[in-house]
Amino acid sequence: MTAIWNLASLEDRRYPALQSSLDVDVAIIGGGVTGLSTALRLLEKRKKVAVLEARQVGKGSTGNSTGNLYATVSQGLRRVRATWDDDTVREVVAARAAALDDIEERVLRYSIDCQFSRRPLYSCLPDPDDRQQRDLEAEYEASLLGGLHAKLVDGVAGLPVPVQRALFLEHQAQYNPLRYVQELASVVADQGGQVFEHTAVLDVDAGEGEVSTRSGTVTAPHIVFATHTPKGVNLLQAEMEPSREYGVAASLRGESHPEGIFWLLDDFHSVRTYRYQDQTYLVVIGEKHQTGQGEAGDGCYGNLESYAREHFDVGTFSHWWSAQQYKSADQLPYIGRSAHDNIYVATGFGADGLAWGEVAARNICSLIETGHESSRLFNPRRFTPLKSAKSWAALNAKVAKHLTTDYFTLDKVEDLDLVLAGEGKVVNIDGDKVAVYRAPDNTLIALSPVCPHMKCAVRWNAADLSWDCPCHGSRFATDGSVIEGPAYGPLTRLEVR
Ligand SMILES: Cc1cc2nc3c(=O)[nH]c(=O)nc-3n(C[C@H](O)[C@H](O)[C@H](O)COP(=O)(O)OP(=O)(O)OC[C@H]3O[C@@H](n4cnc5c(N)ncnc54)[C@H](O)[C@@H]3O)c2cc1C
């Protein structure tokens, strides 16, 4: 399963694993858009920087996103307005619009070849009822309030999906997100930054300013968690809901294709095109569900393919992928100092992190440089019970349920033979629960189903063949190794005789 962006991936630009111990000004954990944008800004301020990436640069959520850049937010500015106030809407749009400008300026300055283009964004209502019409009107008002060039239009020319009414925002943007981040890593390395791949951080000692990996320690007065969600146990995890979303891409037939960001507000599908060499591809994203609820998830890709075929003249499907997002309880991301003054976090981006990552880079750089935040709005230490109480309560009731009952009540089979090749199941073996995966060659891999992060029970994800924790979004490969999320360590390997 790989994202369409890998067609243009710079696979020959690789970075070494950390092999010794280092002293730097800033240790950045995570080589996605947040980590590398932060690294470049700090280098421009003459800081000595090391980026430590557990796997490969750009191959986290960034390289599996849709590559859309917009000054609005996908949940809707009207929701930000309802939860906060008019000034917050203005500040959110200003911060995100500045991020788009910064990305554009950087693409030009460093000649970054990532197909960055300014494009319109359409939020489309295929067949609106009264409530959807009112919501679109409210979104239009909030967009104008934020200073966006917004229009309400009837229909969208060139888009084969029937649309009755749409909100049009001009001068947004698109790029290939994987290529952008890979190019950023090259610029960071050229400017004297140190980039390490296959270097998983196993622990952070805030008091000592030490970041430990298997092959060395990085000591730094400032440490940035650009890991999408902070690693280890962090109070912010109780405020964020992790979810997964899927993507497919297929070649498009015909000559003329719509260009722009298209959000179809049916069940929610995000649609765009991508041109690689002489071929135009259609990209369709959707089928979102909470992480850990994907037991029957292998239907997600099929549903997206059916949607694409129903509306577009597509040829062969070539790419299938998925990614994770973390939604904050009060609509705004958490960017800035964590519980420790020398530890910085950037998380809670929802589905809008390509621009929030850039906002985070600006804010964290300013904090490190001057000690002052460029915006207090996103402060991770904010306390907003009136704005977040409802989602916080629902989220944590769900987590409490998973913590207290899942281990005993999860659907379990009693017989290993019921785990078919390519399947994972929690099996009851002599009274113990075991997460069992049967590989296509019939080998059994047995793991403890208890997530090492906070002891919730993991669940099988049939779409991505992984074990996913429904509480805080940690995900594990079939061999138990960490794919993403807050857990530092793997699921414990068990022996089944
Ligand atoms: C399907 C989907 C589509 C999306 N589309 C868009 C879009 O069009 N526009 C938009 O703005 N946003 C989009 N988003 C959201 C966006 O992808 C993310 O918010 C953004 O990529 C987050 O970037 P990041 O750098 O913070 O995290 P990541 O890109 O996930 O990078 C974090 C990195 O940290 C590394 N890491 C983790 N743990 C460790 C460790 N222990 N040691 C070292 N490294 C570690 C990971 O390997 C990873 O590479 C989408 C999200 C989804 C789910």
Side-chain angles (χ1 to χ4, degrees):
M1 300 272 170
T2 50
I4 181 90
W5 319 119
N6 285 280
L7 285 176
S9 176
L10 298 170
E11 288 302 321
D12 54 335
R13 278 194 220 164
R14 300 272 59 106
Y15 302 90
L18 181 72
Q19 295 295 357
S20 57
S21 292
L22 286 181
D23 274 334
V24 290
D25 297 326
V26 187
I28 298 174
I29 312 169
V33 71
T34 307
L36 287 155
S37 309
T38 306
L40 185 52
R41 275 187 185 269
L42 289 164
L43 284 165
E44 287 166 352
K45 301 286 178 195
R46 307 202 173 285
K47 298 283 180 204
K48 195 173 166 198
V49 171
V51 178
L52 307 164
E53 166 53 48
R55 296 188 293 160
Q56 287 185 344
V57 156
K59 301 245 174 149
S61 278
T62 300
N64 289 295
S65 69
T66 324
N68 292 329
L69 298 161
Y70 36 86
T72 184
V73 289
S74 53
Q75 293 284 310
L77 289 170
R78 69 182 186 287
R79 291 208 174 90
V80 176
R81 190 180 190 186
T83 308
W84 294 81
D85 50 30
D86 290 1
D87 283 344
T88 305
V89 172
R90 290 190 194 98
E91 201 172 327
V92 163
V93 173
R96 291 179 58 83
L100 265 63
D101 292 344
D102 287 350
I103 293 167
E104 184 169 30
E105 189 269 331
R106 187 175 292 152
V107 164
L108 292 173
R109 176 150 36 116
Y110 294 108
S111 304
I112 292 180
D113 175 15
C114 63
Q115 295 184 335
F116 178 96
S117 322
R118 288 287 180 172
R119 296 269 188 254
L121 186 161
Y122 294 91
S123 301
C124 308
L125 288 178
D127 184 16
D129 57 26
D130 287 350
R131 187 188 53 78
Q132 289 173 319
Q133 291 268 22
R134 280 197 305 276
D135 284 352
L136 198 73
E137 297 276 345
E139 192 56 30
Y140 168 65
E141 297 293 338
S143 305
L144 290 180
L145 177 78
L148 290 165
H149 295 286
K151 269 189 231 157
L152 283 172
V153 294
D154 294 323
V156 178
L159 187 71
V161 185
V163 172
Q164 278 194 26
R165 197 99 168 113
L167 173 64
F168 162 82
L169 301 180
E170 69 177 30
H171 208 52
Q172 308 306 302
Q174 286 178 326
Y175 60 6
N176 174 332
L178 174 63
R179 182 64 180 254
Y180 174 72
V181 168
Q182 290 176 330
E183 296 265 10
L184 265 193
S186 295
V187 178
V188 164
D190 288 349
Q191 305 280 316
Q194 301 190 68
V195 180
F196 300 98
E197 290 186 321
H198 301 293
T199 302
V201 168
L202 303 176
D203 192 28
V204 171
D205 183 334
E208 297 293 322
E210 274 181 7
V211 175
S212 306
T213 74
R214 194 161 287 124
S215 47
T217 299
V218 179
T219 309
H222 303 279
I223 298 166
V224 181
F225 273 111
T227 43
H228 207 190
T229 183
K231 302 300 279 189
V233 176
N234 186 301
L235 273 180
L236 288 177
Q237 283 143 6
E239 304 193 18
M240 293 191 295
E241 181 174 78
S243 53
R244 299 200 61 72
E245 212 170 356
Y246 298 81
V248 295
S251 54
L252 268 170
R253 299 193 183 102
E255 288 305 307
S256 81
H257 305 295
E259 287 192 332
I261 304 168
F262 302 98
W263 290 343
L264 281 310
L265 307 176
D266 35 24
D267 277 349
F268 192 80
H269 291 95
S270 174
V271 171
R272 65 167 285 188
T273 53
Y274 173 62
R275 183 103 183 141
Y276 180 69
Q277 294 178 345
D278 293 335
Q279 180 63 55
T280 303
Y281 293 86
L282 177 75
V283 174
V284 181
I285 307 284
E287 297 288 320
K288 181 170 150 187
H289 64 74
Q290 287 170 13
T291 302
Q293 312 289 325
E295 291 95 331
D298 46 356
C300 297
Y301 295 115
N303 293 343
L304 291 177
E305 286 184 20
S306 305
Y307 181 86
R309 282 196 202 289
E310 188 185 338
H311 297 291
F312 294 84
D313 188 7
V314 289
T316 313
F317 283 86
S318 53
H319 294 81
W320 299 262
W321 70 97
S322 69
Q324 187 137 306
Q325 51 174 284
Y326 299 88
K327 192 176 86 178
S328 72
D330 65 5
Q331 319 266 343
L332 298 180
Y334 305 104
I335 298 169
R337 284 196 172 109
S338 173
H340 301 275
D341 276 354
N342 58 336
I343 307 281
Y344 306 80
V345 292
T347 188
F349 294 164
D352 306 320
L354 299 181
W356 282 134
E358 185 62 44
V359 173
R362 181 190 281 246
N363 284 18
I364 291 172
C365 185
S366 153
L367 263 171
I368 290 174
E369 257 266 292
T370 67
H372 301 297
E373 303 175 290
S374 47
S375 162
R376 288 196 59 76
L377 201 53
F378 312 126
N379 188 330
R381 297 173 183 173
R382 67 181 179 263
F383 180 56
T384 57
L386 294 179
K387 299 182 185 355
S388 55
K390 212 167 132 203
S391 10
W392 192 91
L395 185 64
N396 287 288
K398 193 186 78 187
V399 169
K401 176 181 155 297
H402 290 311
L403 270 170
T404 51
T405 58
D406 265 9
Y407 186 76
F408 303 101
T409 60
L410 265 186
D411 250 6
K412 290 176 289 288
V413 294
E414 303 287 330
D415 187 345
L416 283 175
D417 288 345
L418 294 175
V419 186
L420 304 178
E423 253 183 18
K425 280 198 164 80
V426 177
V427 183
N428 209 345
I429 301 179
D430 296 337
D432 284 331
K433 289 18 165 218
V434 181
V436 175
Y437 169 71
R438 188 184 292 277
D441 67 359
N442 258 325
T443 318
L444 285 175
I445 304 177
L447 304 163
S448 161
V450 179
C451 175
H453 175 233
M454 286 185 76
K455 313 291 177 215
C456 291
V458 296
R459 297 183 176 197
W460 179 242
N461 175 338
D464 294 326
L465 307 191
S466 60
W467 295 103
D468 297 0
C469 178
C471 288
H472 304 103
S474 292
R475 297 185 59 240
F476 305 88
T478 50
D479 65 358
S481 58
V482 181
I483 302 173
E484 64 186 313
Y488 275 117
L491 294 175
T492 307
R493 195 80 180 245
L494 302 174
E495 203 174 314
V496 181
R497 285 193 208 91

